[in-house]
Amino acid sequence: MADADYTLAPGALRDKPAVTPEAAQQRSFVLTEHLVAATRPGSIQAESFRALRSNLLSQHVSRGRRALAICAPAPEAGCSFVAANLAFIMAQAGVNTLLIDGNLREPGAHQFIASDQYGPGLGECLADDTLPLATASKRVQPSLSVLYAGNAGIAAADRLGSSVFRNLVSQCLRDFDLTIIDTPPSSLSADARRIAAVTHYAMVVTRRDRTFVKDVQVLLDELAADGAEAIGTYLNDF
């Protein structure tokens, strides 16, 4: 898994250094404005992710829990937003973190960490169990890697319940300190439940004025029935 250069999206920070054309040609990743933990580190949103990081480090990672599915009961809760920013903020603390775009129906990781060379991703890993994780995942910075959705779609999503996916997650647990998996809304498919059943741990994302309490309770009950522990909820107010 080769290291790659990354940069902030144009206009993300006012006082960024000048970049030569030669350096621009070498870039492989762009941290977009939606990755507020990187582009607006002094914002309330970024601070909320730092607070969440403190909680996860003491209550999750320190206990040897190395995987976390980010779930939501319905669309527009901001699962991808939370997953991407949390992965970045954990990596800032030196936690070797892998962000997996597990929303194979409507991938979103590229909206936060864009690349000019995506290559194979989770879809290809599910279709070919001989594809090395080190080949499919991309190292954005020393402590942050991304496994994009790749060749996504319903066919690929159906394989989330296979032994191939379970074996892939097991390898992620060996290679990384923490694996964060973004999932699609549970109201639209069972993908989030399949993923959480493998990671064994999940965090439920809600959004002010968008998420209903009854829907959260349904999701919590479903996760429990699948053997996944919900470590808590995160109120997204972006």
Side-chain angles (χ1 to χ4, degrees):
M1 183 165 47
D3 291 347
D5 294 329
Y6 73 94
T7 185
L8 299 176
L13 296 177
R14 294 182 178 179
D15 299 325
K16 57 184 181 298
V19 179
T20 65
E22 294 77 9
Q25 292 176 357
Q26 296 176 356
R27 289 175 178 166
S28 296
F29 300 94
V30 173
L31 307 184
T32 75
E33 62 180 353
H34 304 298
L35 197 69
V36 296
T39 60
R40 286 180 282 162
S43 66
I44 295 177
Q45 295 162 319
E47 182 58 35
S48 73
F49 285 114
R50 283 191 286 271
L52 178 59
R53 176 181 63 191
S54 298
N55 182 268
L56 288 178
L57 285 173
S58 62
Q59 302 296 324
H60 192 71
V61 178
S62 65
R63 298 182 180 182
R65 301 171 178 176
R66 304 170 72 87
L68 185 64
I70 307 299
C71 307
E76 299 185 358
C79 251
S80 298
F81 175 80
V82 173
N85 279 281
L86 179 58
F88 182 86
I89 211 78
M90 294 298 291
Q92 277 194 322
V95 178
N96 188 20
T97 305
L98 172 65
L99 170 65
I100 297 180
D101 192 342
N103 189 343
L104 297 175
R105 300 169 190 270
E106 192 174 350
H110 63 282
Q111 298 176 4
F112 302 86
I113 305 174
S115 175
D116 56 3
Q117 297 179 3
Y118 289 103
L122 177 58
E124 285 78 6
C125 289
L126 294 175
D128 180 7
D129 60 0
T130 66
L131 178 63
L133 176 62
T135 299
S137 59
K138 308 298 186 295
R139 190 181 297 277
V140 180
Q141 59 182 28
S143 295
L144 178 62
S145 299
V146 179
L147 178 61
Y148 291 101
N151 186 17
I154 296 177
D158 286 341
R159 303 189 187 102
L160 290 171
S162 69
S163 60
V164 175
F165 179 66
R166 290 193 295 272
N167 292 336
L168 176 65
V169 172
S170 294
Q171 184 176 352
C172 294
L173 302 187
R174 293 192 299 269
D175 294 349
F176 295 90
D177 298 330
L178 179 63
T179 297
I180 295 175
I181 307 181
D182 179 27
T183 72
S186 63
S187 63
L188 301 182
S189 72
D191 294 356
R193 294 177 60 182
R194 294 191 186 104
I195 293 171
V198 176
T199 62
H200 299 301
Y201 299 99
M203 184 174 69
V204 175
V205 177
T206 64
R207 187 175 177 185
R208 190 183 303 276
D209 300 327
R210 297 291 180 88
T211 306
F212 295 99
V213 174
K214 63 178 182 179
D215 293 336
V216 174
Q217 188 58 56
V218 169
L219 176 54
L220 292 174
D221 291 342
E222 290 175 341
L223 291 172
D226 293 332
E229 178 184 341
I231 66 170
T233 60
Y234 180 85
L235 177 59
N236 188 23
D237 194 21
F238 71 95

